[in-house]
Amino acid sequence: VIVHDVNELTEKLFPIVEAMQKHFSAGSGTYYSDAIFFLSVAMHRIMPKEITQIIQVDLDLKYKTNIRDLFDEFDSFPEGAVIGIAREMQPVYRHTFWQYRRENPQTKVGDPPPDGLPGFNSGVLLLNLEAMRQSKLYNQLLEPAMVQKLTEKYHFKGHLGDQDFFTMVGMEHPELFHVLDCTWNRQLCTWWRDHGYSDVFDQYFQCEGEVKIYHGNCNTPIPED
């Protein structure tokens, strides 16, 4: 077991983390403003070169299968993809992108699957560190000026840390992501059902297939066996 000092890592990535916090946290002192929620976006710059792949997971998960099976997903990455991630299962980004959606009525941004772009959930992340190191495009997108440019284009102000960044980049460059099946990150939170989106909620929330990982996000109880 190797323990890493978050403050030390954040110092190494300060320009990147600072830019991310400005756009993807709800303000100083909030839960997601903590720097640890942004380290995944540049993990390839702080991990030793000999580490080529990492699975990063939230704590509020329950595994129904062997985590080794998840590592096999790295073999399914299309060329150019650097991160494996599942779709967000609530209409949170339908809400966040409301202004962009209003100005671009034909867009799929924020729409539900299978044809829409609902955004991502970072509870289960496959980081191909070697691919992240090699990808010129991905590293350009980490530059504060590029982050600023994209947030302006999409009128984006988020509060969910790294997953906001991955979601916004995914709207612009879906080729950077290998989309995991919903069964690898079966989110259980239903907050948006009761906050203005009951009419469309189930289009985002449905997930067919045998669940491999339950994600009890927003403190939702996870089903007992």
Side-chain angles (χ1 to χ4, degrees):
V1 174
I2 300 173
V3 179
H4 297 275
D5 185 317
V6 174
N7 295 324
E8 210 174 280
L9 298 181
T10 309
E11 265 180 47
K12 291 182 187 175
L13 298 176
F14 181 73
I16 292 172
V17 171
E18 184 188 37
M20 299 282 172
Q21 285 179 307
K22 191 166 79 174
H23 299 293
F24 310 128
S25 65
S28 179
T30 58
Y31 181 63
Y32 281 99
S33 68
D34 194 314
I36 199 169
F37 293 103
F38 296 93
L39 293 181
S40 61
V41 303
M43 194 69 82
H44 60 298
R45 297 192 182 176
I46 49 181
M47 286 292 119
K49 288 282 192 285
E50 58 268 23
I51 298 180
T52 58
Q53 297 172 335
I54 277 183
I55 290 179
Q56 180 178 311
V57 292
D58 283 0
L59 286 173
D60 52 353
L61 303 180
K62 183 176 184 178
Y63 301 90
K64 305 293 289 182
T65 190
N66 194 322
I67 194 71
R68 285 184 183 179
D69 296 338
L70 186 54
F71 265 99
D72 292 340
E73 287 287 325
F74 279 114
D75 298 332
S76 300
F77 274 40
E79 192 170 346
V82 300
I83 289 166
I85 191 169
R87 292 188 176 97
E88 173 60 45
M89 295 181 65
Q90 291 195 93
V92 54
Y93 292 113
R94 186 187 191 99
H95 184 83
T96 307
F97 285 103
W98 71 269
Q99 189 175 345
Y100 181 82
R101 286 169 57 82
R102 190 178 66 181
E103 293 174 7
N104 300 272
Q106 303 306 313
T107 188
K108 292 183 177 182
V109 167
D111 276 356
D115 300 321
L117 298 169
F120 293 130
N121 180 282
S122 61
V124 176
L125 276 178
L126 274 64
L127 304 175
N128 187 329
L129 300 182
E130 192 53 41
M132 291 167 80
R133 292 176 187 124
Q134 300 294 333
S135 174
K136 188 177 175 185
L137 172 60
Y138 184 75
N139 285 287
Q140 284 174 341
L141 291 163
L142 290 177
E143 295 296 326
M146 188 60 83
V147 174
Q148 177 77 29
K149 186 178 173 184
L150 285 182
T151 53
E152 287 174 1
K153 173 179 175 176
Y154 288 104
H155 308 296
F156 194 98
K157 179 67 181 123
H159 65 284
L160 295 171
D162 57 358
Q163 84 169 45
D164 284 337
F165 174 73
F166 295 140
T167 288
M168 189 179 69
V169 167
M171 301 303 174
E172 194 81 1
H173 296 286
E175 70 275 14
L176 287 171
F177 299 92
H178 166 61
V179 179
L180 297 173
D181 188 79
C182 63
T183 56
W184 280 117
N185 182 0
R186 197 338 170 189
Q187 302 136 55
L188 299 171
C189 183
T190 58
W191 193 88
W192 288 93
R193 177 186 279 157
D194 307 320
H195 292 81
Y197 290 92
S198 58
D199 56 333
V200 296
F201 184 85
D202 286 338
Q203 295 175 52
Y204 294 84
F205 196 65
Q206 61 189 5
C207 176
E208 293 177 10
E210 193 172 338
V211 175
K212 301 180 182 78
I213 297 177
Y214 279 111
H215 184 183
N217 50 338
C218 78
N219 298 317
T220 309
I222 295 175
E224 296 295 325
D225 290 336

Coordinates of all heavy atoms in Angstrom, one line a residue, residues 88-160:
E88 N -24.0 9.2 -17.0 CA -24.7 9.7 -15.8 C -26.2 9.2 -16.0 O -26.7 9.2 -17.1 CB -24.7 11.2 -15.8 CG -25.6 11.9 -14.8 CD -25.3 11.5 -13.4 OE1 -24.1 11.5 -13.0 OE2 -26.3 11.2 -12.6
M89 N -26.8 8.8 -14.9 CA -28.1 8.2 -15.0 C -29.2 9.0 -14.4 O -30.3 8.6 -14.1 CB -28.1 6.8 -14.3 CG -27.2 5.8 -15.0 SD -27.2 4.2 -14.3 CE -28.9 3.7 -14.6
Q90 N -28.9 10.3 -14.3 CA -29.9 11.3 -13.9 C -29.8 12.5 -14.9 O -28.8 12.7 -15.5 CB -29.7 11.9 -12.5 CG -29.9 10.9 -11.4 CD -30.0 11.6 -10.1 OE1 -31.1 11.9 -9.6 NE2 -28.9 11.8 -9.4
P91 N -30.9 13.3 -15.0 CA -30.9 14.4 -16.0 C -30.1 15.6 -15.4 O -30.5 16.8 -15.8 CB -32.4 14.7 -16.2 CG -33.1 14.2 -15.0 CD -32.3 13.1 -14.4
V92 N -29.1 15.4 -14.6 CA -28.3 16.5 -14.1 C -27.8 17.4 -15.2 O -27.8 18.6 -15.1 CB -27.2 16.0 -13.1 CG1 -26.3 15.0 -13.7 CG2 -26.4 17.2 -12.6
Y93 N -27.3 16.8 -16.3 CA -26.6 17.6 -17.3 C -27.7 18.2 -18.3 O -27.4 19.2 -19.0 CB -25.5 16.9 -18.0 CG -24.4 16.6 -17.0 CD1 -24.0 15.4 -16.6 CD2 -23.6 17.7 -16.6 CE1 -23.0 15.2 -15.7 CE2 -22.6 17.6 -15.6 CZ -22.3 16.3 -15.2 OH -21.3 16.1 -14.3
R94 N -28.8 17.6 -18.3 CA -29.9 18.3 -19.0 C -30.2 19.7 -18.4 O -30.4 20.7 -19.0 CB -31.2 17.4 -18.9 CG -32.4 17.9 -19.8 CD -33.6 17.1 -19.5 NE -34.7 17.4 -20.4 CZ -35.0 16.6 -21.4 NH1 -34.3 15.5 -21.7 NH2 -36.0 16.9 -22.3
H95 N -30.0 19.7 -17.1 CA -30.2 20.9 -16.3 C -29.1 21.8 -16.4 O -29.2 23.0 -16.7 CB -30.4 20.5 -14.8 CG -30.7 21.6 -13.9 ND1 -32.0 22.1 -13.7 CD2 -29.9 22.4 -13.1 CE1 -31.9 23.1 -12.9 NE2 -30.7 23.3 -12.5
T96 N -27.8 21.3 -16.3 CA -26.6 22.1 -16.3 C -26.5 22.8 -17.7 O -26.0 24.0 -17.8 CB -25.4 21.3 -16.0 OG1 -25.6 20.6 -14.8 CG2 -24.2 22.2 -15.9
F97 N -26.8 22.1 -18.8 CA -26.6 22.7 -20.1 C -27.9 23.4 -20.6 O -28.0 23.6 -21.8 CB -26.3 21.5 -21.1 CG -24.9 21.0 -21.0 CD1 -24.6 19.8 -20.4 CD2 -23.8 21.7 -21.6 CE1 -23.3 19.3 -20.3 CE2 -22.5 21.2 -21.5 CZ -22.3 20.0 -20.9
W98 N -28.7 23.8 -19.7 CA -30.0 24.4 -20.2 C -29.9 25.5 -21.1 O -30.6 25.6 -22.1 CB -30.9 24.8 -18.9 CG -30.3 26.0 -18.2 CD1 -29.5 26.1 -17.2 CD2 -30.6 27.4 -18.6 NE1 -29.2 27.4 -16.8 CE2 -29.9 28.2 -17.7 CE3 -31.5 28.0 -19.5 CZ2 -29.9 29.6 -17.7 CZ3 -31.5 29.4 -19.5 CH2 -30.8 30.2 -18.6
Q99 N -28.9 26.4 -20.9 CA -28.8 27.6 -21.8 C -28.3 27.2 -23.1 O -28.8 27.6 -24.2 CB -27.8 28.6 -21.1 CG -27.8 29.9 -21.9 CD -26.9 31.0 -21.2 OE1 -26.6 30.9 -20.0 NE2 -26.6 32.1 -21.9
Y100 N -27.3 26.3 -23.2 CA -26.8 25.8 -24.5 C -27.9 25.1 -25.2 O -28.0 25.2 -26.4 CB -25.6 24.9 -24.2 CG -25.0 24.3 -25.5 CD1 -24.1 25.1 -26.2 CD2 -25.3 23.0 -26.0 CE1 -23.5 24.6 -27.4 CE2 -24.8 22.6 -27.2 CZ -23.9 23.3 -27.9 OH -23.4 22.8 -29.1
R101 N -28.7 24.3 -24.5 CA -29.8 23.5 -25.1 C -30.8 24.5 -25.7 O -31.4 24.3 -26.8 CB -30.4 22.6 -24.1 CG -29.6 21.4 -23.8 CD -30.1 20.6 -22.6 NE -31.5 20.2 -22.8 CZ -31.9 19.1 -23.5 NH1 -31.0 18.3 -24.1 NH2 -33.1 18.8 -23.6
R102 N -31.1 25.6 -25.0 CA -32.0 26.6 -25.5 C -31.6 27.2 -26.7 O -32.3 27.5 -27.7 CB -32.3 27.6 -24.4 CG -33.5 28.5 -24.7 CD -33.8 29.5 -23.6 NE -32.6 30.4 -23.4 CZ -32.6 31.4 -22.5 NH1 -33.6 31.5 -21.6 NH2 -31.6 32.2 -22.4
E103 N -30.3 27.5 -26.8 CA -29.7 28.2 -28.0 C -29.5 27.3 -29.1 O -29.3 27.7 -30.3 CB -28.4 28.9 -27.6 CG -28.5 30.0 -26.6 CD -27.2 30.6 -26.1 OE1 -26.2 30.2 -26.7 OE2 -27.2 31.5 -25.2
N104 N -29.4 25.9 -28.8 CA -29.2 24.9 -29.9 C -30.2 23.8 -29.7 O -30.0 22.7 -29.3 CB -27.8 24.3 -29.7 CG -26.7 25.4 -29.8 OD1 -26.2 25.6 -30.9 ND2 -26.3 25.9 -28.7
P105 N -31.5 24.1 -30.2 CA -32.6 23.2 -30.0 C -32.4 21.8 -30.6 O -33.1 20.9 -30.2 CB -33.8 24.0 -30.6 CG -33.2 25.1 -31.4 CD -31.9 25.4 -30.8
Q106 N -31.5 21.7 -31.6 CA -31.3 20.4 -32.3 C -30.3 19.6 -31.6 O -30.0 18.4 -32.0 CB -30.9 20.6 -33.7 CG -31.9 21.4 -34.6 CD -33.3 20.9 -34.5 OE1 -33.5 19.7 -34.7 NE2 -34.3 21.7 -34.3
T107 N -29.6 20.1 -30.6 CA -28.5 19.4 -29.9 C -28.9 18.1 -29.2 O -30.0 18.0 -28.7 CB -27.7 20.3 -28.9 OG1 -26.6 19.7 -28.5 CG2 -28.6 20.6 -27.7
K108 N -28.0 17.2 -29.1 CA -28.2 16.0 -28.3 C -27.5 16.1 -26.9 O -27.7 15.2 -26.1 CB -27.5 14.8 -29.0 CG -28.3 14.4 -30.3 CD -27.7 13.1 -30.9 CE -28.5 12.7 -32.2 NZ -27.9 11.5 -32.8
V109 N -26.9 17.2 -26.7 CA -26.3 17.5 -25.4 C -27.3 17.5 -24.3 O -28.3 18.3 -24.4 CB -25.5 18.9 -25.5 CG1 -25.1 19.3 -24.1 CG2 -24.3 18.8 -26.4
G110 N -27.1 16.7 -23.3 CA -28.0 16.6 -22.2 C -29.2 15.7 -22.4 O -30.0 15.5 -21.5
D111 N -29.4 15.2 -23.6 CA -30.5 14.3 -23.9 C -30.2 12.9 -23.4 O -29.0 12.5 -23.2 CB -30.7 14.2 -25.4 CG -31.6 15.3 -26.0 OD1 -32.1 16.1 -25.2 OD2 -31.8 15.3 -27.2
P112 N -31.3 12.1 -23.1 CA -31.1 10.7 -22.6 C -30.5 9.8 -23.6 O -30.6 10.0 -24.8 CB -32.5 10.3 -22.1 CG -33.4 11.1 -23.0 CD -32.7 12.4 -23.3
P113 N -29.9 8.6 -23.1 CA -29.5 7.6 -24.0 C -30.8 6.9 -24.6 O -31.9 7.2 -24.2 CB -28.8 6.6 -23.1 CG -29.2 6.9 -21.7 CD -29.7 8.3 -21.7
P114 N -30.7 6.2 -25.7 CA -29.4 5.7 -26.3 C -28.8 6.7 -27.3 O -27.6 6.7 -27.6 CB -29.8 4.4 -27.0 CG -31.2 4.6 -27.4 CD -31.8 5.5 -26.3
D115 N -29.6 7.7 -27.8 CA -29.1 8.6 -28.8 C -28.5 9.9 -28.3 O -27.8 10.6 -29.0 CB -30.2 8.9 -29.9 CG -30.7 7.6 -30.5 OD1 -29.9 6.7 -30.8 OD2 -32.0 7.5 -30.7
G116 N -28.9 10.2 -27.1 CA -28.5 11.5 -26.5 C -27.1 11.5 -25.9 O -26.5 10.4 -25.8
L117 N -26.7 12.6 -25.3 CA -25.4 12.7 -24.6 C -25.7 13.2 -23.2 O -25.7 14.4 -22.9 CB -24.5 13.8 -25.3 CG -24.1 13.4 -26.8 CD1 -23.5 14.6 -27.4 CD2 -23.2 12.2 -26.8
P118 N -26.0 12.2 -22.3 CA -26.4 12.6 -20.9 C -25.3 13.0 -20.0 O -25.6 13.4 -18.9 CB -27.1 11.3 -20.4 CG -26.4 10.2 -21.2 CD -26.1 10.8 -22.5
G119 N -24.1 12.9 -20.5 CA -22.9 13.2 -19.6 C -22.4 11.9 -18.9 O -23.0 10.9 -19.1
F120 N -21.4 12.1 -18.1 CA -20.8 11.0 -17.5 C -20.9 11.0 -15.9 O -21.1 12.1 -15.4 CB -19.3 11.0 -17.8 CG -19.0 10.7 -19.3 CD1 -18.1 11.5 -20.0 CD2 -19.6 9.6 -19.9 CE1 -17.8 11.2 -21.3 CE2 -19.3 9.3 -21.3 CZ -18.4 10.1 -22.0
N121 N -20.7 9.9 -15.3 CA -20.6 9.8 -13.9 C -19.3 9.2 -13.5 O -18.9 8.1 -14.0 CB -21.7 8.9 -13.3 CG -21.7 8.8 -11.8 OD1 -20.9 8.0 -11.2 ND2 -22.5 9.5 -11.1
S122 N -18.5 9.8 -12.7 CA -17.1 9.4 -12.4 C -17.0 8.5 -11.2 O -15.9 8.3 -10.7 CB -16.2 10.6 -12.2 OG -16.7 11.4 -11.1
G123 N -18.1 7.8 -10.8 CA -18.0 6.9 -9.6 C -17.1 5.7 -9.9 O -16.5 5.1 -9.0
V124 N -17.0 5.3 -11.2 CA -16.1 4.2 -11.6 C -15.4 4.7 -12.8 O -15.9 5.1 -13.9 CB -16.9 3.0 -12.0 CG1 -16.0 1.9 -12.6 CG2 -17.7 2.4 -10.8
L125 N -14.1 4.8 -12.7 CA -13.2 5.4 -13.7 C -12.1 4.5 -14.1 O -11.4 3.9 -13.2 CB -12.5 6.7 -13.2 CG -13.3 8.0 -13.3 CD1 -12.4 9.1 -12.7 CD2 -13.6 8.4 -14.7
L126 N -11.9 4.2 -15.4 CA -10.7 3.5 -15.9 C -9.8 4.5 -16.6 O -10.2 5.1 -17.6 CB -11.2 2.5 -16.9 CG -11.6 1.1 -16.4 CD1 -12.8 1.2 -15.6 CD2 -11.8 0.1 -17.6
L127 N -8.7 4.7 -16.0 CA -7.7 5.7 -16.5 C -6.6 5.0 -17.2 O -5.8 4.3 -16.5 CB -7.2 6.6 -15.3 CG -8.2 7.3 -14.5 CD1 -7.5 8.0 -13.3 CD2 -9.0 8.3 -15.3
N128 N -6.5 5.1 -18.5 CA -5.4 4.5 -19.2 C -4.3 5.5 -19.2 O -4.2 6.4 -20.1 CB -5.8 4.1 -20.6 CG -4.7 3.4 -21.4 OD1 -3.5 3.5 -21.1 ND2 -5.1 2.5 -22.3
L129 N -3.4 5.5 -18.2 CA -2.4 6.5 -17.9 C -1.5 6.6 -19.1 O -1.1 7.8 -19.5 CB -1.7 6.2 -16.7 CG -2.5 6.1 -15.4 CD1 -1.6 5.9 -14.2 CD2 -3.3 7.4 -15.2
E130 N -1.1 5.5 -19.7 CA -0.2 5.6 -20.8 C -0.8 6.3 -22.0 O -0.2 7.2 -22.7 CB 0.2 4.2 -21.2 CG 1.4 4.1 -22.2 CD 2.6 4.9 -21.7 OE1 3.0 4.9 -20.5 OE2 3.2 5.6 -22.6
A131 N -2.1 6.0 -22.3 CA -2.8 6.7 -23.4 C -3.0 8.2 -23.0 O -2.9 9.0 -23.9 CB -4.2 6.0 -23.6
M132 N -3.3 8.5 -21.8 CA -3.4 9.9 -21.4 C -2.1 10.6 -21.6 O -2.1 11.8 -22.0 CB -3.8 9.9 -19.9 CG -5.3 9.4 -19.6 SD -5.6 9.2 -17.9 CE -6.0 10.9 -17.3
R133 N -1.0 9.9 -21.3 CA 0.3 10.6 -21.5 C 0.6 10.9 -23.0 O 1.2 11.9 -23.4 CB 1.4 9.7 -20.9 CG 1.4 9.6 -19.4 CD 2.5 8.7 -18.9 NE 2.3 8.4 -17.4 CZ 2.2 7.3 -16.9 NH1 2.2 6.1 -17.6 NH2 2.0 7.2 -15.6
Q134 N 0.2 9.9 -23.8 CA 0.5 10.0 -25.2 C -0.5 10.9 -26.0 O -0.2 11.4 -27.1 CB 0.4 8.6 -25.9 CG 1.3 7.6 -25.3 CD 2.8 7.9 -25.6 OE1 3.1 8.6 -26.5 NE2 3.7 7.5 -24.7
S135 N -1.7 11.2 -25.5 CA -2.7 11.9 -26.2 C -2.5 13.4 -26.2 O -2.6 14.1 -25.2 CB -4.1 11.6 -25.6 OG -5.1 12.4 -26.3
K136 N -2.1 13.9 -27.4 CA -1.8 15.3 -27.5 C -3.1 16.1 -27.3 O -3.1 17.1 -26.6 CB -1.3 15.6 -28.9 CG -0.8 17.0 -29.1 CD -0.2 17.2 -30.5 CE 0.1 18.7 -30.8 NZ 0.6 18.9 -32.1
L137 N -4.2 15.6 -27.8 CA -5.5 16.2 -27.7 C -5.9 16.3 -26.2 O -6.3 17.4 -25.8 CB -6.6 15.5 -28.5 CG -8.0 15.9 -28.3 CD1 -8.2 17.4 -28.7 CD2 -9.0 15.0 -29.1
Y138 N -5.9 15.2 -25.5 CA -6.3 15.2 -24.1 C -5.5 16.2 -23.3 O -6.0 17.0 -22.5 CB -6.2 13.8 -23.5 CG -6.7 13.8 -22.1 CD1 -8.1 13.9 -21.8 CD2 -5.9 13.8 -21.0 CE1 -8.6 13.9 -20.5 CE2 -6.4 13.9 -19.7 CZ -7.7 13.9 -19.5 OH -8.2 13.9 -18.2
N139 N -4.2 16.3 -23.5 CA -3.3 17.2 -22.7 C -3.6 18.6 -23.1 O -3.5 19.5 -22.2 CB -1.9 16.8 -22.9 CG -1.5 15.6 -22.0 OD1 -1.5 15.6 -20.8 ND2 -1.4 14.4 -22.7
Q140 N -3.9 18.9 -24.3 CA -4.3 20.3 -24.7 C -5.6 20.7 -24.0 O -5.7 21.9 -23.6 CB -4.6 20.3 -26.2 CG -3.3 20.3 -27.1 CD -3.6 20.3 -28.6 OE1 -4.7 19.9 -29.0 NE2 -2.6 20.6 -29.4
L141 N -6.5 19.8 -23.8 CA -7.8 20.1 -23.2 C -7.6 20.4 -21.7 O -8.5 20.9 -21.0 CB -8.8 18.9 -23.4 CG -9.3 18.7 -24.8 CD1 -9.9 17.4 -25.0 CD2 -10.2 19.8 -25.2
L142 N -6.5 20.0 -21.1 CA -6.2 20.3 -19.7 C -5.8 21.7 -19.4 O -5.8 22.2 -18.3 CB -5.2 19.3 -19.1 CG -5.6 17.8 -18.9 CD1 -4.4 17.0 -18.4 CD2 -6.8 17.7 -17.9
E143 N -5.3 22.3 -20.5 CA -4.8 23.7 -20.4 C -5.9 24.6 -19.9 O -7.0 24.6 -20.5 CB -4.3 24.2 -21.7 CG -3.0 23.4 -22.2 CD -1.8 23.6 -21.3 OE1 -1.7 24.7 -20.7 OE2 -1.1 22.6 -21.1
P144 N -5.7 25.5 -18.9 CA -6.7 26.4 -18.4 C -7.4 27.2 -19.5 O -8.6 27.4 -19.4 CB -5.9 27.3 -17.4 CG -4.8 26.4 -16.9 CD -4.4 25.6 -18.1
A145 N -6.7 27.7 -20.5 CA -7.3 28.5 -21.5 C -8.3 27.6 -22.3 O -9.4 28.2 -22.7 CB -6.2 29.0 -22.5
M146 N -8.0 26.3 -22.5 CA -8.9 25.5 -23.3 C -10.2 25.2 -22.4 O -11.3 25.1 -22.9 CB -8.2 24.2 -23.7 CG -9.0 23.3 -24.6 SD -9.4 24.1 -26.2 CE -7.9 23.8 -27.1
V147 N -9.9 25.0 -21.1 CA -11.1 24.7 -20.2 C -12.0 25.9 -20.2 O -13.2 25.8 -20.3 CB -10.6 24.5 -18.8 CG1 -11.7 24.4 -17.8 CG2 -9.7 23.2 -18.7
Q148 N -11.4 27.1 -20.2 CA -12.2 28.4 -20.2 C -13.0 28.5 -21.5 O -14.2 28.8 -21.5 CB -11.2 29.6 -20.1 CG -11.9 30.9 -20.2 CD -12.6 31.3 -18.9 OE1 -12.2 30.9 -17.8 NE2 -13.6 32.1 -19.0
K149 N -12.3 28.1 -22.6 CA -13.0 28.2 -23.9 C -14.2 27.3 -24.0 O -15.3 27.7 -24.5 CB -12.0 27.8 -25.0 CG -12.5 28.0 -26.4 CD -11.3 27.7 -27.4 CE -11.8 27.7 -28.8 NZ -10.8 27.2 -29.8
L150 N -14.1 26.1 -23.5 CA -15.2 25.1 -23.6 C -16.3 25.5 -22.6 O -17.5 25.4 -23.0 CB -14.7 23.7 -23.3 CG -13.9 23.0 -24.4 CD1 -13.5 21.6 -23.9 CD2 -14.7 22.9 -25.7
T151 N -15.9 26.0 -21.4 CA -17.0 26.4 -20.5 C -17.8 27.6 -21.1 O -19.0 27.6 -20.9 CB -16.4 26.8 -19.1 OG1 -15.4 27.7 -19.3 CG2 -15.9 25.5 -18.4
E152 N -17.1 28.4 -21.8 CA -17.8 29.6 -22.4 C -18.7 29.1 -23.5 O -19.9 29.5 -23.7 CB -16.8 30.6 -22.9 CG -16.2 31.4 -21.8 CD -15.1 32.3 -22.3 OE1 -14.8 32.4 -23.5 OE2 -14.5 33.0 -21.5
K153 N -18.2 28.2 -24.3 CA -19.0 27.7 -25.5 C -20.3 27.0 -25.0 O -21.4 27.2 -25.5 CB -18.2 26.6 -26.3 CG -19.1 25.9 -27.3 CD -18.3 24.9 -28.2 CE -19.2 24.2 -29.1 NZ -18.4 23.3 -30.0
Y154 N -20.2 26.2 -23.9 CA -21.4 25.4 -23.4 C -22.1 26.1 -22.2 O -23.0 25.6 -21.7 CB -20.9 24.1 -22.9 CG -20.5 23.2 -24.1 CD1 -19.2 22.9 -24.4 CD2 -21.5 22.6 -24.9 CE1 -18.9 22.1 -25.5 CE2 -21.2 21.8 -26.0 CZ -19.9 21.5 -26.2 OH -19.6 20.7 -27.3
H155 N -21.7 27.4 -21.9 CA -22.3 28.1 -20.8 C -22.3 27.2 -19.5 O -23.3 27.1 -18.8 CB -23.7 28.5 -21.1 CG -23.8 29.3 -22.4 ND1 -23.2 30.5 -22.6 CD2 -24.5 29.0 -23.5 CE1 -23.5 31.0 -23.8 NE2 -24.3 30.1 -24.4
F156 N -21.1 26.6 -19.3 CA -21.1 25.5 -18.3 C -20.6 26.0 -16.9 O -19.5 26.6 -16.8 CB -20.2 24.4 -18.8 CG -20.3 23.1 -18.0 CD1 -21.1 22.1 -18.4 CD2 -19.6 22.9 -16.8 CE1 -21.2 20.9 -17.7 CE2 -19.7 21.8 -16.0 CZ -20.5 20.8 -16.5
K157 N -21.4 25.8 -15.9 CA -21.0 26.0 -14.5 C -21.4 24.8 -13.7 O -22.6 24.6 -13.5 CB -21.6 27.3 -14.0 CG -21.2 27.6 -12.5 CD -19.7 27.9 -12.4 CE -19.3 28.2 -10.9 NZ -18.3 27.3 -10.4
G158 N -20.4 24.0 -13.4 CA -20.8 22.7 -12.7 C -20.4 22.7 -11.2 O -19.9 23.7 -10.7
H159 N -20.7 21.6 -10.6 CA -20.3 21.5 -9.1 C -19.9 20.1 -8.7 O -19.9 19.8 -7.6 CB -21.5 22.0 -8.3 CG -22.7 21.1 -8.4 ND1 -23.5 21.1 -9.5 CD2 -23.2 20.1 -7.6 CE1 -24.5 20.2 -9.4 NE2 -24.3 19.6 -8.2
L160 N -19.7 19.2 -9.7 CA -19.4 17.8 -9.5 C -18.0 17.4 -9.7 O -17.7 16.2 -10.0 CB -20.4 16.9 -10.3 CG -21.9 17.1 -9.9 CD1 -22.8 16.4 -10.9 CD2 -22.1 16.6 -8.5

